[in-house]
Amino acid sequence: MNQSTPSPSSHRPMPVQVLPDGAARKRLRRWRGFKDSAAKYSVGAFGMGVILALALIFIYLFSEVLPMLRPAAMTVYTSYEAPGGRSADTVHMAMDRHELVGVRYTTDRQAVFFDVGDGSERYRETLPLPADATVTTFGLAEPRTRLVIFGLDNGQALLVRHDFNERFSPDGRQYDPTLEFPLGEGDATLMNVAEDGASIAAIAVQRGSTGTSVAAALEDGRMRLLRFEERSNFMTGAVTVRQQAYDIPALPDNAQPRRILLDITMRNLLVGDDQGRLHYYDVSRPAQAQWVESKRVTLRRDAQVQSMEYLLGTVSVIVGGSDGTVSQWMLVRDEDNVNRLVSVRHFDSHSGPVMGIAPEYLRKGFATFDDRGEIKLHYSTTARTLVSLDTGERPLSRVHLAPRASALFAIDDNEQVHLVSVRNPHPEVSVRALWSKIWYEGRSQPEYIWQSSSATDEFEPKFSLVPLTLGTLKAAFYAMLFATPLAILGAVYSAYFMSPRLRQVVKPSIEIMEAVPTVILGFLAGLWFAPFVESHLPAVFSILFLMPLALIVAGFVWMRLLPEALSNRIPAGWEAALLVPVVILVGWFAVGMSPHLENWFFAGDMRQWLTDVGYTYDQRNSLVVGVAMGFAVIPTIYSISEDAVFNVPKHLTQGALALGATPWQTVTRVVLLTASPGIFSAVMIGFGRAVGETMIVLMATGNSPVMNFNIFEGMRTLSANIAVEMPEAAVGGTHYRILFLAALVLFVITFLLNTVGEVVRQRLRRRYGSL
């Protein structure tokens, strides 16, 4: 019998595995233990590093917000005898913006300029008042004008303006204080308010671009309005002043005026009387000046209006009563377009009559004081009484806030000046101002508004974070509404139904979309997609209806009407490629039919039709943002969801199919449940990405902080607001710190979303992990 010749490989010796000896095995175990420990502690260290980084971010944001939470404070810095002596009473005091030089007006016709720190006199000037006349009242114009008017018992009045004339020299800041008389020098200095010489009981003044207006209440109850129109000769530059006087109707019910105010437009006159009421006169046409209405402003019916002053901008007025009440009022137009007095808010009351009110120069804050020496600092927008100070047992006669509201003068009835240091850097901030409706000046009702700046200095900042937070959630909602169904359904199809070869093309193509800069998406959305949507609105809604219908019809044709021989020629898992022409055809058809649909159903302009039925349409709106930001979020949700579905154990799907389940039943009842933790994580990560998105919402919306979920209007998000306004915010200011608060709110929202998402994911994992 022939034997086959063995191959050379059959004689090769088998490799002998040499086992390590005891020492070598011990070294190997130590090396493996070292690597395990190094990996364990490295992963732990980096994990702690992530937690530490998040903690540091939180600490830094909170450190910038913390100064806003510190309470206001007032302390008496020093006290000294009134400059110029105690022989005369103080009518008014003021200081310059650097709190170095002050001025004191007295009843003996003196204007004394002095050093604020110690009260030493610098310069004195006698006011040109008649020797036989007595000062009976005085009034202040808008504080920034530095205008003061004195009413006399002979029916005359003097208008004077003090100026500190600050200048710089090698020796430092220097002052050359002077007095100016806006109505002229000599005989023109004094104005005749009452021709018959009746004593003036209350007086008010305001100066505008065209001239000056003076309103006065006489001792006998009559009221007069004087207008001084200034005209400048174009050739010579000479200024001529023309005076016109008008009688104002007397107060009803024989009420006697106590305080009188004129707003900066010189159209509205407010009068407080001895019966505790506030009266409104329309003096826009002085010759036809008329009483409009009155409102009670005190709680006790036997109380009277003790003091009254406009806040910055002369839009709202603060009224102090003899019963200690402090309230804010303003004019609001009613349905008939007529101004009406409306009570806006009340502040903490004093234990005695409110003797005076000192408004701030640059903000909507003010100080009040009573006859028992107590000073209270308030802020109107937040409706808060910030701090109070008891200066002693002696009653106060005058209080004046410094231009920067960091100090104030308090003068008692013994002509002792108390210089009070004020620390109140952020009065605009409170929980109520940030998260509740506020009745702002010029508005007809309380609202949520974000408006941090304006073109005028008397602007009232509006720092409500509610519109920004709502805008953030609105943008994320519409983005997720667009992205979530497409991303999850696409992930299920590509992971479970699509052929491996096609999947190798589709999955990387979608994932590479995540590398597209969002500024590019925002640029395209704002400059191309938004105008396209505006001009093809019927096409947009047609696609929403026709595209699903066309895909269902295409599926029906594939399953029921297409010959089996033809359908079998298409490899399994490539069916989606056949839908590409359907999608293109439906999109082309919808765009082509858009003008015709607009003419047939919307009178040729769907945007105007939406406006007519009550929907405001902005070109850059939530629809545009939802689509653009959806494209930015889809790759994230798709990639994580696809991996979760693809990694479902094969024995689960094969077992379901073996038991008779259809592929669709297997997907809905096995695959999705098993992959639900990963899919939910994908959705939460995508939502967090949408909440923090900046560039798309910055470029594709109108950045209007509106309070609605209208898909045709834009929004302003927290992140976009920070990006827009942070470069303009003064470092350390209230606006600057509120932007950091907005960043902290955004940080907390994303942290909570991720935390909730992780908790839900763990529960889903425990529930379906045993499948």
Side-chain angles (χ1 to χ4, degrees):
M1 183 170 55
N2 294 330
Q3 294 183 353
S4 59
T5 305
S7 63
S9 60
S10 62
H11 294 283
R12 291 178 183 172
M14 294 295 293
V16 178
Q17 184 177 6
V18 180
L19 296 176
D21 57 13
R25 284 198 298 270
K26 185 179 291 187
R27 288 195 300 268
L28 184 59
R29 284 197 299 268
R30 284 201 301 265
W31 173 242
R32 287 175 178 172
F34 172 76
K35 289 192 294 183
D36 290 343
S37 299
K40 174 183 176 181
Y41 290 112
S42 296
V43 172
F46 285 116
M48 291 301 297
V50 172
I51 296 175
L52 179 62
L54 292 174
L56 290 176
I57 292 173
F58 179 84
I59 291 172
Y60 172 69
L61 294 176
F62 188 75
S63 68
E64 293 291 344
V65 174
L66 183 61
M68 294 193 301
L69 307 180
R70 295 173 181 166
M74 289 192 297
T75 54
V76 177
Y77 177 73
T78 186
S79 300
Y80 47 80
E81 182 181 325
R86 293 172 172 159
S87 58
D89 295 335
T90 300
V91 176
H92 176 60
M93 288 186 72
M95 68 179 82
D96 78 306
R97 59 177 180 160
H98 300 292
E99 302 166 16
L100 296 176
V101 178
V103 62
R104 176 187 179 228
Y105 294 98
T106 63
T107 54
D108 62 350
R109 305 172 181 81
Q110 299 296 309
V112 182
F113 292 89
F114 60 94
D115 287 329
V116 170
D118 56 10
S120 58
E121 186 174 326
R122 278 175 169 257
Y123 170 74
R124 179 192 293 257
E125 185 170 338
T126 302
L127 299 175
L129 295 174
D132 58 347
T134 302
V135 176
T136 56
T137 184
F138 84 101
L140 301 174
E142 212 274 341
R144 293 171 297 177
T145 63
R146 301 191 297 279
L147 280 175
V148 181
I149 190 167
F150 297 88
L152 308 179
D153 61 353
N154 64 358
Q156 292 183 308
L158 173 68
L159 183 63
V160 59
R161 179 180 184 272
H162 56 268
D163 200 335
F164 297 105
N165 293 321
E166 176 187 349
R167 60 183 174 84
F168 294 91
S169 71
D171 298 328
R173 186 178 286 113
Q174 302 293 321
Y175 293 89
D176 298 314
T178 58
L179 296 180
E180 299 176 1
F181 303 96
L183 299 183
E185 303 290 340
D187 295 337
T189 303
L190 292 169
M191 66 182 78
N192 291 316
V193 177
E195 302 292 343
D196 57 359
S199 177
I200 301 175
I203 196 166
V205 62
Q206 287 294 351
R207 184 174 178 84
S209 58
T210 59
T212 303
S213 291
V214 176
L218 306 181
E219 196 68 36
D220 55 10
R222 290 178 297 155
M223 292 190 295
R224 304 208 74 199
L225 178 65
L226 280 68
R227 289 280 176 90
F228 299 88
E229 296 182 4
E230 300 177 7
R231 296 185 178 181
S232 178
N233 189 292
F234 178 74
M235 302 297 295
T236 64
V239 178
T240 58
V241 180
R242 186 181 67 171
Q243 175 181 339
Q244 291 180 305
Y246 307 93
D247 290 322
I248 305 297
L251 297 178
D253 301 328
N254 296 320
Q256 295 299 313
R258 293 282 301 171
R259 293 286 290 127
I260 188 168
L261 293 177
L262 192 64
D263 75 345
I264 202 168
T265 67
M266 294 174 278
R267 293 172 172 268
N268 303 303
L269 182 68
L270 298 179
V271 182
D273 67 14
D274 59 349
Q275 299 177 11
R277 293 181 299 176
L278 179 63
H279 301 263
Y280 164 52
Y281 285 84
D282 181 0
V283 294
S284 56
R285 297 180 180 178
Q288 291 88 35
Q290 58 179 344
W291 176 90
V292 178
E293 68 169 346
S294 66
K295 293 288 183 67
R296 174 164 293 280
V297 295
T298 58
L299 295 179
R300 288 191 353 224
R301 301 193 66 84
D302 60 342
Q304 61 183 4
V305 174
Q306 191 72 33
S307 56
M308 195 168 72
E309 291 291 345
Y310 270 120
L311 292 179
L312 174 69
T314 69
V315 176
S316 60
V317 62
I318 304 298
V319 181
S322 60
D323 57 355
T325 56
V326 180
S327 57
Q328 181 181 359
W329 296 74
M330 67 182 180
L331 297 173
V332 176
R333 291 189 179 276
D334 61 11
E335 296 177 354
D336 299 325
N337 203 30
V338 176
N339 283 330
R340 299 294 181 184
L341 285 169
V342 175
S343 174
V344 181
R345 52 185 67 94
H346 293 265
F347 303 87
D348 291 355
S349 298
H350 284 264
S351 56
V354 180
M355 303 305 296
I357 300 167
E360 291 190 22
Y361 282 58
L362 304 175
R363 300 182 304 196
K364 301 294 181 176
F366 61 97
T368 57
F369 63 95
D370 58 25
D371 62 348
R372 302 183 183 183
E374 184 182 29
I375 305 173
K376 291 189 176 184
L377 197 61
H378 315 266
Y379 195 78
S380 65
T381 306
T382 57
R384 286 197 303 161
T385 299
L386 303 169
V387 65
S388 62
L389 173 69
D390 191 355
T391 59
E393 297 181 356
R394 304 195 68 90
L396 299 175
S397 60
R398 296 285 182 266
V399 166
H400 176 79
L401 277 164
R404 294 179 178 174
S406 56
L408 62 81
F409 284 134
I411 304 96
D412 61 27
D413 61 348
N414 193 37
E415 295 303 315
Q416 186 77 6
V417 177
H418 306 281
L419 181 59
V420 179
S421 174
V422 179
R423 186 178 61 80
N424 184 30
H426 307 292
E428 305 95 335
V429 180
S430 70
V431 174
R432 182 173 180 270
L434 294 173
W435 300 105
S436 300
K437 287 186 176 182
I438 298 295
W439 199 333
Y440 297 103
E441 291 183 349
R443 302 283 175 166
S444 59
Q445 61 185 1
E447 296 177 85
Y448 297 110
I449 301 175
W450 173 275
Q451 187 181 0
S452 58
S453 60
S454 180
T456 59
D457 293 334
E458 59 268 16
F459 165 74
E460 181 179 23
K462 304 168 182 65
F463 290 130
S464 176
L465 293 179
V466 176
L468 305 181
T469 306
L470 182 67
T472 301
L473 299 178
K474 179 181 178 182
F477 170 78
Y478 284 116
M480 297 301 291
L481 188 65
F482 175 79
T484 302
L486 293 178
I488 293 178
L489 294 178
V492 171
Y493 180 82
S494 63
Y496 191 74
F497 295 102
M498 188 176 288
S499 68
R501 185 177 175 185
L502 185 58
R503 179 176 178 270
Q504 291 174 1
V505 177
V506 171
K507 189 172 188 292
S509 300
I510 295 177
E511 289 176 342
I512 204 171
M513 288 171 52
E514 198 163 10
V516 177
T518 55
V519 67
I520 301 298
L521 293 176
F523 179 81
L524 293 175
L527 297 184
W528 171 74
F529 187 63
F532 176 83
V533 170
E534 182 183 26
S535 58
H536 297 86
L537 274 174
V540 174
F541 292 98
S542 298
I543 289 173
L544 293 176
F545 172 73
L546 293 177
M547 190 66 72
L549 182 62
L551 296 179
I552 293 173
V553 170
F556 179 79
V557 170
W558 171 263
M559 294 293 296
R560 302 295 184 184
L561 302 180
L562 199 66
E564 186 176 351
L566 183 60
S567 62
N568 288 338
R569 298 181 61 181
I570 306 299
W574 285 80
E575 296 86 357
L578 298 177
L579 294 177
V580 174
V582 177
V583 172
I584 295 175
L585 182 62
V586 171
W588 172 81
F589 176 78
V591 173
M593 289 297 295
S594 180
H596 303 291
L597 294 174
E598 203 162 21
N599 290 328
W600 293 340
F601 299 106
F602 306 106
D605 191 345
M606 186 175 178
R607 176 176 177 174
Q608 184 60 46
W609 181 85
L610 289 171
T611 302
D612 293 340
V613 298
Y615 292 96
T616 302
Y617 185 90
D618 298 330
Q619 185 188 75
R620 300 185 180 187
N621 52 44
S622 302
L623 176 62
V624 174
V625 171
V627 174
M629 198 151 62
F631 273 105
V633 173
I634 281 176
T636 301
I637 302 177
Y638 168 84
S639 180
I640 300 175
S641 299
E642 207 272 352
D643 289 338
V645 174
F646 189 77
N647 290 324
V648 171
K650 298 300 181 184
H651 68 271
L652 294 179
T653 58
Q654 292 170 357
L657 293 171
L659 291 173
T662 64
W664 179 249
Q665 290 173 331
T666 303
V667 168
T668 56
R669 301 183 184 182
V670 176
V671 174
L672 287 180
L673 294 179
T674 307
S676 59
I679 294 174
F680 187 80
S681 296
V683 172
M684 296 307 297
I685 292 173
F687 189 70
R689 164 76 187 276
V691 167
E693 178 55 45
T694 302
M695 292 310 300
I696 293 177
V697 293
L698 186 64
M699 303 178 70
T701 71
N703 279 311
S704 300
V706 295
M707 282 291 299
N708 61 55
F709 254 81
N710 183 3
I711 195 172
F712 301 118
E713 288 189 66
M715 79 290 287
R716 177 176 287 196
T717 65
L718 290 165
S719 57
N721 187 67
I722 295 169
V724 169
E725 299 194 5
M726 186 61 79
E728 302 174 359
V731 176
T734 301
H735 181 204
Y736 176 83
R737 298 196 184 280
I738 289 180
L739 292 178
F740 271 93
L741 177 60
L744 184 61
V745 170
L746 185 61
F747 180 85
V748 171
I749 289 175
T750 54
F751 181 79
L752 291 177
L753 286 175
N754 290 331
T755 302
V756 171
E758 180 62 20
V759 171
V760 175
R761 188 187 73 84
Q762 291 292 347
R763 291 186 178 181
L764 290 174
R765 188 175 181 179
R766 287 195 299 269
R767 182 173 182 178
Y768 299 113
S770 59
L771 291 178

